[in-house]
Amino acid sequence: MTESSSPPLADLLHAAVTTVGGTERPGQTAMAQAVAEAIDDSSHLLVQAGTGTGKSLGYLVPALAHGERVVVATATLALQRQLVERDLPRTVEALHPLLRRRPEFAMLKGRSNYLCLHRLHEGVPQEDADEDGLFDPFEAATPTSKLGKDLLRLRDWSDETETGDRDDLSPGVSDRAWSQVSVTSRECLGASKCAYGAECFAEAARERAKLADVVVTNHALLAIDAIEGAPVLPSHEVLIVDEAHELVSRVTGVASGELTPGQVNRAVRRAAKLVNEQAADALQTASEGFERLMELALPGRLEKIPEDLGYVLMALRDAARTVISALGATRDASVKDEDAIRKQALGSVENIHQVAERIVEGSEYDVVWYERHDRFGASLRVAPLSVSGLLREKLFEDRSVVLTSATLKLGGDFNGVAASLGLAPESPQNPEGGEETAPRWQGLDVGSPFDYSKQGILYVAKHLAQPGREGGRADMLDELAELVEAAGGRTLGLFSSMRAAQAAAEELRGRLDTPILLQGEETLGELIRAFAADARTCLFGTLSLWQGVDVPGPSCQLVVMDRVPFPRPDDPLMSARQKAVEEAGGNGFMAVAATHAALLMAQGAGRLVRASDDRGIVAVLDPRVERARYGSFLRKSMPDFWYTTDRNQVRRSLAAIDAAAKAQGA
């Protein structure tokens, strides 16, 4: 149906909002109109839509009305499920009488998210099974063990599920159990070669997506589709990226590579029985050289590839290329399940070849570094210095793109986020960007239905000492204990490191009667449920809590940030990006470190007000937010709370909030 024959957008939005039992809001209406205009003129739009705006309907309604296929990419499983299980069914039902058609929708994820029937029925290829001392995990795992129970339940579930989607299995299973019944895209035999191809859950999901008007996917699959040149998403005219503040990080992850001794050794074992002795020995020798080198590796960036590492990587690359050729030229009918074993070996060796070759070639646009993990040992990593050029070339061509989040304006404008996405700065004189070839885009802040200045206070403890790298902030812990006590619990503690969260939990558990929950001591879902259920409880944790907690009401009335969450000074990728900006004449600290911190602080502060009757305080226990020159940039990036540095005023406000909550029985 063409846009001209569609009913007025206002009527469609009213019908959708009424059906879901919501209330039309000015911000939602403005967003829907802007999305419709961007789609109509094939331009791009960045929309900041605060919590409570109803942004899902703000983009779904105009997208469905336009009538072209749309892909919606999100960062979190929670939003994907909300869209497919709640928002889309209701919206389609509401719009059907007006549009006189019923748009179809489907969810599509990466292949490893779906149960593989070949793995389930034929078992894990012997090379993988041998690594765990198992030949057939279904037979060798005892029925009473956790792994055995998970595998038996997966086998039963395979007869019941229509989707084979891991996220439809409740309760879930361990990663180890799931790895026994799933494959990556590299390991998949392909529908035409697999005995179970006609029943394949992953292929069925792709076929449903091809027929759907709306395809809901995740940022990672979107990045793979855009970067790797092998389309996994169906062709589409409109792309909507929700939770767009996460996109650069997810694309960076997909565009990164890693080599570890364990990974290389697995590839050697997988290939050894399938290729000639000469090829296998060459890969084995190269693997041993790499492992010896990694034993001595010290964490940090490699601005120039050391000569010994260069030789080892060239040996790995050349040996891997020989094995790849040999794997493609030989077949051994005596090897059980030989195709699956061969495909798995090929995928492992191809990855080694690609990463080794990429590092040896030494692109000026890549960052290479060593990492060392206490448990997993050393790894060699490579990542793009920037993904902005990649996104500009791959994301914004041949389709209209809408990017939305509650956090896209940093320091008062969209330019920081836009630059990271490959978009030129927006200015009043040149709203179409600074270059004629740059994609046309517009930024729009539709606000929030919440009155932040009356519902919340932003408190910066300017009297505290500036945090140092050595930790051990006694004055900060004193301040935190007093705030938690004044609030009567009800505190979400957001810490810049797990060590800081653990130290604070240990200290306050010794000082206060208030229950303190700590991330890592239970699953995140259980912790959040326990936090929401008891208003006296506090929850302390790190990164995932800054963005993943939605607890409206009296259980979360104090959000505390221990310090500005700048990237670690020794983070190789962030340091390299900062240096690159400085060499180009820009302010590397503001463009990278301060922007990273502002994004997290905006997300963290957003945990406080989740409903129109929420009240509370965001307390930042880092005086730099008041004293430093960049402090105003950080404050402007957060919701427009009433601002103070008066500690006594904050304690009085917390006591009043606590008393009001107790009077209401919370």
Side-chain angles (χ1 to χ4, degrees):
M1 180 177 294
T2 62
E3 192 275 335
S4 60
S5 63
S6 295
L9 183 62
D11 293 349
L12 295 170
L13 186 61
H14 176 76
V17 172
T18 301
T19 297
V20 302
T23 303
E24 288 184 69
R25 301 183 176 104
Q28 185 184 57
T29 302
M31 178 179 180
Q33 187 60 47
V35 171
E37 291 172 0
I39 293 173
D40 287 343
D41 64 13
S42 300
S43 62
H44 310 301
L45 177 69
L46 273 64
V47 187
Q48 176 161 293
T51 305
T53 301
K55 62 183 169 67
S56 296
L57 290 184
Y59 60 69
L60 286 178
V61 170
L64 290 170
H66 190 68
E68 305 289 350
R69 178 181 284 130
V70 57
V71 167
V72 180
T74 77
T76 63
L77 170 64
L79 184 53
Q80 288 178 54
R81 295 189 75 91
Q82 176 187 314
L83 287 169
V84 171
E85 296 177 6
R86 191 184 73 184
D87 293 347
L88 274 165
R90 294 179 180 181
T91 305
V92 166
E93 196 62 34
L95 300 187
H96 176 229
L98 296 171
L99 294 177
R100 298 188 297 279
R101 55 186 170 85
R102 192 183 298 275
E104 299 290 333
F105 53 89
M107 186 186 292
L108 185 61
K109 303 177 184 178
R111 190 170 292 274
S112 62
N113 291 280
Y114 299 97
L115 184 77
C116 172
L117 292 171
H118 188 279
R119 272 283 180 94
L120 182 78
H121 294 298
E122 305 299 332
V124 180
Q126 188 172 352
E127 279 64 31
D128 256 14
D130 286 344
E131 292 169 23
D132 294 322
L134 301 176
F135 178 71
D136 183 344
F138 286 93
E139 294 179 4
T142 61
T144 56
S145 70
K146 176 68 167 66
L147 177 61
K149 290 178 180 177
D150 281 349
L151 291 173
L152 290 172
R153 192 153 61 84
L154 282 165
R155 179 169 280 175
D156 292 339
W157 179 67
S158 69
D159 294 328
E160 305 167 2
T161 178
E162 295 182 3
T163 65
D165 185 336
R166 181 179 182 179
D167 295 317
D168 290 341
L169 175 64
S170 181
V173 297
S174 67
D175 289 344
R176 186 184 180 201
W178 186 257
S179 69
Q180 306 286 343
V181 297
S182 64
V183 294
T184 65
S185 57
R186 286 183 180 271
E187 297 167 339
C188 176
L189 294 174
S192 62
K193 294 182 179 180
C194 179
Y196 303 91
E199 308 164 70
C200 177
F201 291 116
E203 290 298 321
R206 294 185 70 168
E207 289 303 313
R208 286 193 295 271
K210 289 178 183 177
L211 300 174
D213 301 283
V214 179
V215 179
V216 178
T217 188
N218 53 53
H219 289 181
L221 200 63
L222 172 64
I224 291 169
D225 181 77
I227 293 169
E228 297 192 353
V232 292
L233 296 172
S235 61
H236 50 282
E237 292 72 27
V238 180
L239 170 63
I240 296 171
V241 182
D242 206 338
E243 302 168 309
H245 62 278
E246 289 273 12
L247 183 62
V248 168
S249 174
R250 303 300 171 97
V251 172
T252 298
V254 168
S256 299
E258 181 180 31
L259 285 176
T260 69
Q263 169 194 8
V264 176
N265 286 333
R266 279 194 298 275
V268 171
R269 288 197 300 272
R270 288 171 175 174
K273 296 180 181 179
L274 299 172
V275 298
N276 61 67
E277 186 176 342
Q278 184 178 359
D281 285 349
L283 187 59
Q284 176 70 47
T285 300
S287 170
E288 291 169 355
F290 178 67
E291 187 168 9
R292 284 194 298 270
L293 199 63
M294 294 300 285
E295 288 173 355
L296 305 174
L298 297 175
R301 184 183 178 189
L302 302 173
E303 296 203 38
K304 183 179 179 182
I305 303 302
E307 189 175 5
D308 54 353
L309 177 60
Y311 282 132
V312 165
L313 291 176
M314 284 190 284
L316 266 181
R317 176 199 62 188
D318 296 343
R321 183 189 298 126
T322 301
V323 169
I324 290 168
S325 298
L327 283 169
T330 61
R331 286 286 188 274
D332 186 349
S334 67
V335 179
K336 181 188 176 185
D337 202 19
E338 194 255 3
D339 280 341
I341 295 172
R342 181 177 301 278
K343 185 72 174 180
Q344 189 174 58
L346 188 61
S348 298
V349 179
E350 282 178 339
N351 181 65
I352 290 168
H353 177 265
Q354 289 171 5
V355 177
E357 185 171 53
R358 177 177 174 182
I359 297 175
V360 166
E361 287 178 350
S363 168
E364 63 179 306
Y365 302 109
D366 273 341
V367 180
V368 181
W369 71 97
Y370 285 128
E371 272 187 14
R372 184 167 288 280
H373 191 280
D374 291 341
R375 181 179 174 189
F376 302 110
S379 64
L380 178 64
R381 305 199 65 191
V382 57
L385 181 61
S386 169
V387 296
S388 60
L390 195 63
L391 288 170
R392 179 172 59 248
E393 177 187 353
K394 303 290 188 179
L395 201 68
F396 296 100
E397 294 287 332
D398 304 321
R399 58 186 167 187
S400 176
V401 183
V402 174
L403 302 109
T404 184
S405 167
T407 313
L408 289 179
K409 285 178 72 174
L410 299 178
D413 62 48
F414 290 95
N415 288 333
V417 170
S420 71
L421 296 166
L423 299 172
E426 181 187 44
S427 68
Q429 293 76 29
N430 185 17
E432 296 186 357
E435 304 173 17
E436 289 186 9
T437 58
R440 292 188 302 121
W441 69 280
Q442 177 187 1
L444 174 67
D445 182 0
V446 300
S448 168
F450 304 142
D451 190 343
Y452 287 117
S453 63
K454 293 182 179 178
Q455 290 184 246
I457 296 173
L458 173 60
Y459 163 58
V460 175
K462 74 171 185 177
H463 61 282
L464 297 179
Q466 181 169 314
R469 295 186 62 182
E470 68 283 351
R473 301 176 61 200
D475 60 342
M476 184 276 289
L477 292 172
D478 290 340
E479 179 82 7
L480 175 61
E482 291 177 18
L483 290 171
V484 170
E485 192 168 27
R490 314 176 192 279
T491 302
L492 177 65
L494 305 177
F495 293 84
S496 54
S497 71
M498 203 61 229
R499 182 178 299 175
Q502 291 165 345
E506 182 179 352
E507 179 73 18
L508 266 64
R509 283 169 175 169
R511 290 195 196 191
L512 306 176
D513 293 332
T514 304
I516 308 289
L517 304 173
L518 178 63
Q519 186 178 356
E521 294 182 346
E522 181 53 86
T523 64
L524 188 57
E526 287 299 322
L527 288 172
I528 293 173
R529 279 190 285 273
F531 176 55
D534 180 7
R536 291 185 59 252
T537 298
C538 301
L539 173 58
F540 290 0
T542 183
L543 189 59
S544 57
L545 296 189
W546 288 72
Q547 305 182 81
V549 177
D550 184 6
V551 179
S555 289
C556 184
Q557 295 187 313
L558 173 62
V559 174
V560 178
M561 304 180 198
D562 70 325
R563 63 191 294 165
V564 178
F566 290 124
R568 294 192 334 267
D570 60 351
D571 183 307
L573 184 56
M574 288 298 208
S575 298
R577 287 176 170 176
Q578 189 165 321
K579 182 179 178 181
V581 173
E582 290 165 357
E583 289 176 346
N587 187 325
F589 171 78
M590 291 302 296
V592 179
T595 295
H596 172 88
L599 185 60
L600 276 177
M601 293 183 79
Q603 286 286 310
R607 303 309 98 200
L608 181 69
V609 176
R610 312 297 296 177
S612 57
D613 55 353
D614 281 350
R615 301 288 185 275
I617 291 173
V618 173
V620 183
L621 308 186
D622 187 335
R624 293 175 294 181
V625 176
E626 167 64 21
R627 297 177 186 171
R629 283 183 296 176
Y630 54 79
S632 61
F633 174 79
L634 300 177
R635 295 196 302 271
K636 285 179 182 177
S637 302
M638 290 190 273
D640 188 25
F641 295 126
W642 187 78
Y643 178 65
T644 185
T645 59
D646 186 338
R647 60 192 302 199
N648 295 321
Q649 173 62 53
V650 166
R651 280 154 180 74
R652 289 193 296 270
S653 297
L654 282 172
I657 292 169
D658 181 40
K662 287 176 178 175
Q664 295 174 3

